[in-house]
Amino acid sequence: MSLLDAARQVRENAYAPYSKFKVGAAVRGASGTIYRGVNVENVAYPEGTCAEAGAIAAMIAAGETEITEVAVIADCPSPVPPCGGCRQKLAEFARHDAPVTLATTDGERLDTSVGALLPGRFDISHMDNV
């Protein structure tokens, strides 16, 4: 199964009763294992979670800490990018050149990278005193 297929499949499990905007995400760990996540809304906005954060949490829970590839899919007119917070979360665990596929359920896709999504990212080098 491709990473995008994994994201497409898990998207159906998203909990989005308020916005009706279901998002599926999948990340591949360094081991090759695919971890999936969906957006989970909450009536107390903005207490929900993003699909990318869910996939990252699943990867960390499984004991991995490196993302080698990302896929995100939603039913929208153009490929949906991760929010700013998720861009930083992806950058925490992926190299700047890690491939990212953003897609729509109609088949449109945009291939990019973690570094292109978050140029000038904040990282450990900024914490010189640590």
Side-chain angles (χ1 to χ4, degrees):
M1 173 178 294
S2 77
L3 198 63
L4 186 55
D5 287 339
R8 181 184 320 278
Q9 186 178 61
V10 76
R11 179 187 160 275
E12 296 304 317
N13 296 336
Y15 181 75
Y18 309 106
S19 72
K20 309 292 190 241
F21 189 71
K22 292 183 172 189
V23 180
V27 300
R28 186 180 314 277
S31 71
T33 301
I34 294 174
Y35 302 95
R36 304 166 193 199
V38 296
N39 58 318
V40 179
E41 294 180 350
N42 188 299
V43 70
Y45 257 44
E47 294 302 314
T49 57
C50 297
E52 300 89 340
I56 292 168
M59 180 189 75
I60 297 300
E64 288 206 61
T65 58
E66 182 183 351
I67 294 171
T68 62
E69 187 180 1
V70 179
V72 181
I73 190 168
D75 183 13
C76 49
S78 61
V80 64
C83 72
C86 284
R87 291 175 194 216
Q88 183 65 47
K89 288 174 180 77
L90 291 168
E92 179 74 16
F93 300 104
R95 294 170 38 124
H96 72 281
D97 60 347
V100 177
T101 300
L102 307 175
T104 69
T105 55
D106 288 337
E108 186 178 343
R109 59 185 282 167
L110 171 66
D111 294 309
T112 187
S113 68
V114 169
L117 288 175
L118 189 62
R121 73 190 203 185
F122 181 79
D123 63 28
I124 192 71
S125 70
H126 294 100
M127 301 178 70
D128 198 26
N129 295 333
V130 176

